[in-house]
Amino acid sequence: MNTVNNAGDVRAGGGSGAGRVAVVTGAGSGIGRAVAAELLRGGWSVALAGRRTEPLRETAALVPGAPSLAVRADVAREEDVTALFAAVVDQFGRVDLLFNNAGTFGPGGVPVEELPYDAWKHVVDTNLNGAFLCARAAYRQMKEQDPQGGRIINNGSVSAHTPRPHSAPYTATKHALTGLTKALSLDGRPYRIAVGQIDIGNAATDMTARMEKGALQADGEVVPEPVMDVADVARTVRHMAELPLEANVQFATVLATTMPYVGRG
């Protein structure tokens, strides 16, 4: 793990997120980058976590002068997650928000009978075990800090509800993430820790670019699918993040309006 900071002073003023500290995993691209930039523009101090430092720097540069900390970390490695949160607390003093976003599709389109165990394990380690490790670290900090509490938002997926063909690892981890969200939400109540989940369908990122060209449907056809602006996802996450801790969006679904999700299959 290494860090690159543009932190300066953390002080109030400039927006409803001012003076609050967020950790965004998978912040070097896609949804993570969009959410991190949205929070930075809203006055949050943001720790940007990812496996490569340069993309994290590029994310920080989208909002020049905003207080940020780039931390190279693999969320599937317990020691990296421990070091990540130690660096954030050392720099900013507390954690008010974790956006648990890092994830991977894995080998899409591979029938389950042909799926290598290593591929399954990689998706589980990143999407589920990584989410748990980050949530546990955030939970520990939020429970002990003063003022107590904070918020965790898990990035689920519409695949937390309905699978695509040949997507067993991804779908299984996203269903499991819903259970983790519910359990953390319940266990966090005594400590003012609010936990919710955003389920996203076809935000326009590099990961979903192939869907615009054609995605395999349940009937075997390959059909181009609509996408939506990732900025709309970022604004939704910020809305969830900036609610008072007495209010919580437990689950939110944000998707391209005409994508084949409702009635999929």
Side-chain angles (χ1 to χ4, degrees), residues 31 158 198-205 208 212 225-236 253-259:
I31 291 168
V158 293
I198 183 167
D199 295 324
I200 301 161
N202 287 12
T205 67
T208 59
E212 291 186 88
E225 293 190 8
V227 297
M228 63 177 171
D229 192 335
V230 70
D232 293 321
V233 175
R235 284 190 288 268
T236 303
T253 302
V254 183
L255 72 166
T257 303
T258 59
M259 69 174 288

Side-chain angles (χ1 to χ4, degrees), residues 20-240:
R20 290 194 274 179
V21 179
V23 178
V24 177
T25 65
S29 63
I31 291 168
R33 170 172 284 179
V35 169
E38 179 70 19
L39 293 172
L40 287 167
R41 284 191 290 266
W44 289 75
S45 300
V46 181
L48 312 164
R51 289 183 294 179
R52 294 179 298 135
T53 302
E54 189 54 38
L56 301 176
R57 289 173 170 162
E58 293 170 1
T59 298
L62 295 174
V63 191
S68 64
L69 177 69
V71 183
R72 183 173 60 82
D74 182 346
V75 298
R77 295 171 56 88
E78 184 175 16
E79 59 270 30
D80 280 18
V81 173
T82 299
L84 164 63
F85 280 83
V88 175
V89 174
D90 181 66
Q91 183 66 59
F92 296 123
R94 60 182 290 113
V95 175
D96 296 292
L97 172 69
L98 165 64
F99 181 45
N100 231 344
N101 167 72
T104 179
F105 283 139
V110 178
V112 67
E113 69 272 17
E114 299 175 13
L115 184 71
Y117 176 67
D118 285 349
W120 166 276
K121 189 174 185 299
H122 173 66
V123 176
V124 172
D125 283 344
T126 303
N127 294 5
L128 181 57
N129 295 341
F132 162 73
L133 289 171
C134 290
R136 184 182 67 174
Y139 191 101
R140 288 171 172 172
Q141 174 60 32
M142 291 171 179
K143 181 180 177 182
E144 300 301 327
Q145 64 195 9
D146 184 21
Q148 187 183 62
R151 189 180 306 274
I152 298 169
I153 301 173
N154 292 324
N155 184 351
S157 168
V158 293
S159 290
H161 305 271
T162 305
R164 289 184 178 276
H166 307 318
S167 66
Y170 186 76
T171 299
T173 56
K174 293 304 183 178
H175 274 67
L177 196 62
T178 298
L180 181 65
T181 297
K182 292 178 179 179
L184 292 172
S185 183
L186 177 60
D187 292 344
R189 287 177 184 175
Y191 311 108
R192 301 189 76 243
I193 299 172
V195 185
Q197 180 171 312
I198 183 167
D199 295 324
I200 301 161
N202 287 12
T205 67
D206 290 343
M207 285 182 71
T208 59
R210 60 184 177 82
M211 294 176 186
E212 291 186 88
K213 298 176 182 178
L216 180 64
Q217 307 297 308
D219 62 2
E221 290 191 36
V222 176
V223 178
E225 293 190 8
V227 297
M228 63 177 171
D229 192 335
V230 70
D232 293 321
V233 175
R235 284 190 288 268
T236 303
V237 173
R238 182 177 167 190
H239 168 71
M240 295 169 70

